[in-house]
């Protein structure tokens, strides 16, 4: 009897890929990814360019709008009262800049980068630049920030000075430190 030859498996005849061809495939995929990313970035709609896209900055959402009169999109998820507080920011910015915020944001407890005033709870960057106004959503979910802003607006309407407003906010929110 004749011995039958066993057929060789196809993989035994296939050339083994070299490291350089695997590297070439990897570089090709990276180049394709970079090209797609570039096309996506260049394809932003005019709306996105006019009204800056939202982006995360630590735990805060930031959005740049064309001017102080254009409110950020993230306010659509909140009450009209919250939007009204944001509308009042620029009218009261000079006073807000002098006010402490007592929600913990100035100590870095509520945010990654400590705020320097109540104004920073509403505006991510102040003064506004040529490219518009950058808003932050920090105060949209903070009752203390909102309450302090309400006091700034109400006390300003009553004719109180910035010093009197500062004192009223300190009296209402500043923690009592034991001596």
């Amino acid at each position: 009897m004749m011995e039958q030859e066993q057929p060789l498996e196809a993989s035994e005849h296939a050339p083994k890929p070299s490291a350089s061809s695997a590297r070439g495939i990897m570089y090709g995929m990276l180049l394709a990814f970079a090209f797609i990313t570039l096309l996506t970035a260049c394809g932003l709609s005019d709306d996105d360019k006019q009204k800056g896209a939202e982006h995360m900055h630590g735990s805060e959402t930031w959005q740049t709008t064309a001017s102080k009169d254009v409110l950020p999109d993230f306010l659509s998820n909140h009450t009209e009262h919250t939007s009204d507080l944001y509308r009042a920011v620029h009218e009261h910015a000079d006073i807000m800049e002098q006010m402490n915020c007592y929600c913990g944001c100035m100590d870095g407890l509520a945010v990654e980068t400590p705020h320097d005033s109540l104004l920073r709870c509403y505006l991510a960057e102040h003064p506004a630049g040529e490219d518009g106004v950058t808003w932050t959503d920090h105060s949209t979910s903070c009752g203390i920030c909102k309450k302090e802003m309400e006091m700034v607006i109400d006390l300003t309407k009553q004719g109180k000075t910035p010093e009197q407003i500062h004192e009223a906010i300190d009296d209402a929110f500043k923690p009592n430190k034991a001596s």
Side-chain angles (χ1 to χ4, degrees), residues 139-174:
S139 63
T140 60
S141 59
C142 181
I144 293 174
C145 297
K146 288 180 185 180
K147 195 67 178 162
E148 285 190 33
M149 182 63 176
E150 291 168 355
M151 288 179 70
V152 167
I153 294 168
D154 290 342
L155 294 172
T156 299
K157 285 179 184 175
Q158 294 174 26
K160 302 291 184 187
T161 66
E163 294 78 21
Q164 291 170 319
I165 296 170
H166 192 281
E167 185 178 329
I169 287 176
D170 283 353
D171 288 348
F173 296 100
K174 187 175 185 177

Side-chain angles (χ1 to χ4, degrees), residues 71-87:
L71 293 177
D73 289 335
F74 59 72
L75 289 175
S76 65
N77 300 325
H78 299 278
T79 65
E80 187 61 30
H81 176 68
T82 299
S83 295
D84 289 342
L85 294 175
Y86 273 79
R87 275 186 202 92

